[in-house]
Amino acid sequence: MMDPYNFTNSPLNNNSKYEDYYEDYDEYTDLRKSVNIMSIIVYSLDFVLGVVGNGIVIWVTGFKMKRTVNTVWFLNLAVADFLFTFFLPLSVAYTAMGFHWPFGQFMCKFNSTLSLINMFASVYILVVISVDRCLSVVCPIWAQNHRNVSRASVVSFGVWLFALVLSSPSFVFRETALHSNKIICYNNFAFSDHNETLEVVELRSIRHRAMIITRFIIGFVVPFVIIISCYAVIIHRLQRNRSMSGRTGRTLKIIAAVVTAFFICWAPFHILVLIEMVNHTEMEYSSTLQYVTTVGIPIATSLAFLNSCLNPLLYVFMAQDFKVKVRKSILKVLETAFTEEASRTNTCTNSILTIQNKEKGSKSFSDAEV
């Protein structure tokens, strides 16, 4: 039996306690099992690719490249994605154990809050990158005089603080509870286990809707509008400036990739969560919408998680200087490793030859004695 405290068990989803929601759960048992297996596979893949990809970005932008405004943006973006993907095994274990949470209440709060911090921090770092690029194209002289590493660091700190504030309700409401011999991690929006009173149900429903709608507007609509607006201005300015026409094609491709990836990764999740919320706050319950959200939300969540793996590719690896640095750094590491290995091999060989020579000398001496 799936836990009745959540609509979907995604760490990104803020759901509360609606027991009547699961009256027809048996109808979807096999379907949920298949979707859960898919989620485990995708989460595991996201973990490997996200940790490796973002780890390389952190290593190169933090230690191998000269500190610039762009490397500050990319470093913070990579840190947000790395922290999120690093803790994905907790979600993998939770799903694999049939939504049993053995890691304690603090980690229940921490894991869900970290997921939302990653979502808000990543999205608004992308907003900052978009605004920064727009200002560099529209006001190049002003940007040249005012863009510096220290200000970029201050802006990045502000983004993290903003993301922390927006994610804090998850830390407040998230709790653990024992249900059907399993410890579940859920959102208790009313701070109460008494579902029978109308006041508690109403309070829980209001807070649930407020968090979903706020997250949709602040975490998706507003950033997406800003990003689209910035790149529309950039495209318009590049098309008017004939001297930059040679770079327009490449710029347009990067912009298209950025906007498309952002929209594809996050739009399905936010839309399906809104559908799920409406379906369970209306008087008429739709089994069709229930089926759609049962299948769709885990897939959309996996897609949203995938964004943390795509960011290094879309926002960093497209930069030519970064690719050169990565290639040189990796070649240097391999060269050092092979040199050390060759050195160890030669040392070992010399030692073996020395021992063999000593043994031969000792044997000859023994023979002479005989």
Side-chain angles (χ1 to χ4, degrees), residues 56-269:
I56 291 175
V57 175
I58 293 171
W59 173 47
V60 174
T61 56
F63 303 100
K64 296 296 181 181
M65 295 183 71
K66 180 182 177 182
R67 187 61 60 89
T68 64
V69 173
N70 286 334
T71 58
V72 170
W73 303 145
F74 295 143
L75 177 60
N76 279 272
L77 183 63
V79 168
D81 291 331
F82 180 85
L83 288 174
F84 170 67
T85 53
F86 185 79
F87 286 96
L88 267 180
L90 295 178
S91 300
V92 173
Y94 186 46
T95 307
M97 290 188 288
F99 302 106
H100 169 67
W101 184 265
F103 308 109
Q105 180 160 296
F106 175 80
M107 289 306 296
C108 167
K109 291 175 176 287
F110 175 79
N111 190 50
S112 298
T113 304
L114 183 64
S115 301
L116 292 175
I117 288 176
N118 164 262
M119 183 186 75
F120 287 117
S122 297
V123 165
Y124 279 96
I125 289 172
L126 299 183
V127 169
V128 169
I129 292 174
S130 303
V131 173
D132 179 56
R133 288 176 177 175
C134 185
L135 290 175
S136 297
V137 172
V138 176
C139 310
I141 297 176
W142 182 92
Q144 185 176 1
N145 294 331
H146 292 84
R147 290 174 79 251
N148 56 55
V149 173
S150 60
R151 287 176 179 169
S153 300
V154 171
V155 172
S156 298
F157 177 78
V159 170
W160 281 101
L161 191 61
F162 183 58
L164 182 62
V165 170
L166 291 176
S167 307
S168 58
S170 179
F171 193 86
V172 173
F173 293 122
R174 206 74 172 172
E175 291 183 1
T176 56
L178 183 63
H179 176 77
S180 299
N181 297 321
K182 289 183 179 180
I183 299 174
I184 57 174
C185 180
Y186 75 106
N187 286 311
N188 189 355
F189 290 122
F191 300 112
S192 173
D193 293 328
H194 302 289
N195 287 8
E196 63 276 2
T197 62
L198 182 61
E199 292 80 6
V200 170
V201 173
E202 230 173 80
L203 177 62
R204 185 178 288 116
S205 179
I206 290 172
R207 286 178 175 173
H208 177 219
R209 289 197 302 267
M211 289 191 68
I212 294 296
I213 294 171
T214 300
R215 188 176 60 194
F216 174 69
I217 294 174
I218 299 180
F220 180 75
V221 175
V222 172
F224 186 67
V225 169
I226 295 174
I227 290 173
I228 287 291
S229 301
C230 287
Y231 286 129
V233 172
I234 292 173
I235 292 172
H236 179 69
R237 181 56 63 95
L238 290 177
Q239 288 177 339
R240 288 182 57 187
N241 192 338
R242 295 181 180 274
S243 63
M244 300 178 67
S245 59
R247 298 170 53 191
T248 302
R250 176 175 173 80
T251 303
L252 291 178
K253 288 180 181 179
I254 295 175
I255 292 171
V258 168
V259 176
T260 303
F262 177 81
F263 186 81
I264 290 177
C265 286
W266 285 107
F269 172 79

Side-chain angles (χ1 to χ4, degrees), residues 1-65:
M1 179 74 174
M2 189 177 178
D3 86 68
Y5 294 81
N6 290 312
F7 289 163
T8 57
N9 285 278
S10 159
L12 281 173
N13 207 11
N14 288 315
N15 307 309
S16 60
K17 193 174 179 182
Y18 291 88
E19 292 181 353
D20 58 335
Y21 171 79
Y22 290 95
E23 290 178 356
D24 63 340
Y25 170 72
D26 290 339
E27 182 182 350
Y28 302 108
T29 300
D30 293 336
L31 177 61
R32 289 182 189 273
K33 286 181 180 179
S34 300
V35 171
N36 289 340
I37 292 173
M38 181 276 299
S39 297
I40 291 171
I41 295 172
V42 176
Y43 289 3
S44 301
L45 185 63
D46 289 345
F47 165 71
V48 174
L49 296 179
V51 169
V52 173
N54 290 293
I56 291 175
V57 175
I58 293 171
W59 173 47
V60 174
T61 56
F63 303 100
K64 296 296 181 181
M65 295 183 71

Side-chain angles (χ1 to χ4, degrees), residues 304-321:
F305 287 179
L306 187 63
N307 189 58
S308 295
C309 306
L310 293 177
N311 281 337
L313 177 64
L314 295 177
Y315 297 98
V316 180
F317 287 120
M318 283 184 171
Q320 185 63 33
D321 56 341

